[in-house]
């Protein structure tokens, strides 16, 4: 029996690569951002869903990669967090052009461009139908924006994390390398951790598992997909505690 259900408040996690130029993994492509923004705007406009978004920054800087090449890790991570703010501003602009109000809240204060992260304010924005974009990760080095997504989702009482990716769910092997790979309709957190299925990093998965917060992994750039997930349709893979 499927445990899918319609979702009223969600936390959408977008990797930095979702903003990247076509065929690449770096930079920001305004047309792609607009496409994602339209889908998000439609959720609030026609489904009435309350949407928080955590944006990644992998299209700009991944701290760990820079540290491997000798840079101080905390400095590199701060650069990575600032990269997420660039993505957040691009997404804010695109969602507002699609006709929905937004707020960007950052975990590192930069009040000339965005509000600081204040949980209760974020909740009020969501209740008013504004899309709240959470940027600068958790504001702390050595974390990821996946962990930020789990943290913020818990704080805002989201019913699920919607993890938009380039594949249409979680597979038992990499579908690009193994044509026979099988997609899971549902899977539990422990299997994801034990089989190292790469849904999100272990810190994020543990946080979701400890707090019984489901994740839906789905293909982002497929028209209407986010809406189907929010309606509780069997799109992508649902990751749960499994009981
Ligand atoms: N980052 C960080 N603390 C956080 C969130 C992010 O230090 O709480 C840094 C880290 O260097 C990371 C980069 O920001 O590599 C970009 O975030 P992430 O790799 O999670 O982006 P995504 O893979 O989602 O594009």
């Amino acid at each position: 029996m499927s445990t899918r259900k319609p979702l009223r408040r969600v936390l959408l996690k977008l990797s930095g690569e979702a903003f990247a130029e076509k065929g690449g993994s770096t930079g920001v492509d305004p047309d792609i951002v607009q496409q994602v923004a339209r889908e998000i705007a439609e959720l609030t406009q026609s489904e009435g869903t309350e949407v928080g978004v955590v944006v990644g920054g992998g299209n700009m800087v991944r701290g760990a990669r820079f540290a491997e090449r000798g840079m101080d890790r905390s400095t590199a991570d701060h650069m990575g967090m600032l990269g997420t703010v660039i993505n957040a501003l691009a997404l804010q602009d695109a969602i507002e052009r699609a006709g929905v109000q937004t707020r960007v809240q950052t975990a590192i204060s930069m009040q000339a461009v965005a509000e600081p992260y204040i949980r209760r304010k974020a909740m009020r924005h969501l209740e008013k139908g504004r899309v709240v974009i959470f940027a600068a990760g958790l504001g702390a080095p050595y974390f990821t924006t996946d962990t930020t997504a789990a943290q913020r989702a818990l704080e805002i009482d989201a019913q699920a994390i919607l993890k938009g990716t380039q594949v249409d769910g979680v597979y038992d092997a990499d579908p690009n390398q193994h044509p026979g790979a099988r997609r899971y309709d549902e899977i539990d957190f422990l299997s994801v951790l034990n089989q190292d299925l790469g849904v999100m990093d272990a810190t994020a998965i543990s946080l979701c598992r400890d707090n019984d917060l489901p994740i839906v992994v789905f293909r982002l750039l497929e028209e209407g997909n986010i809406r189907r997930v929010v309606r509780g349709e069997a799109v992508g893979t649902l990751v749960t505690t499994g009981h």
Side-chain angles (χ1 to χ4, degrees), residues 63-141:
R65 297 289 90 79
F66 278 41
E68 278 165 15
R69 294 161 70 183
M71 187 180 274
D72 171 68
R73 173 68 189 263
S74 295
T75 303
D77 279 343
H78 279 124
M79 290 168 64
M81 287 185 265
L82 295 180
T84 71
V85 180
I86 294 177
N87 290 332
L89 294 181
L91 186 65
Q92 170 170 52
D93 173 82
I95 296 175
E96 296 210 332
R97 278 191 285 131
V100 171
Q101 284 200 11
T102 66
R103 293 291 186 275
V104 174
Q105 291 201 341
T106 58
I108 295 172
S109 283
M110 45 183 94
Q111 276 152 358
V113 292
E115 290 181 3
Y117 172 63
I118 298 172
R119 174 180 172 262
R120 291 171 68 96
K121 256 188 145 175
M123 304 285 269
R124 293 295 91 76
H125 291 320
L126 292 169
E127 285 160 9
K128 289 178 180 164
R130 297 173 184 148
V131 172
V132 183
I133 304 166
F134 300 106
L138 288 171

Side-chain angles (χ1 to χ4, degrees), residues 13-19 25 54-66 73-84 87 107-108 135-148 163 201:
K13 167 67 210 295
L14 300 176
S15 289
E17 285 183 10
F19 296 78
S25 56
V54 166
V55 288
N59 55 328
M60 305 283 172
V61 174
R62 280 189 202 285
R65 297 289 90 79
F66 278 41
R73 173 68 189 263
S74 295
T75 303
D77 279 343
H78 279 124
M79 290 168 64
M81 287 185 265
L82 295 180
T84 71
N87 290 332
I108 295 172
L138 288 171
Y142 294 95
F143 285 100
T144 63
T145 53
D146 278 351
T147 301
T148 308
K163 165 104 176 162
D201 62 79

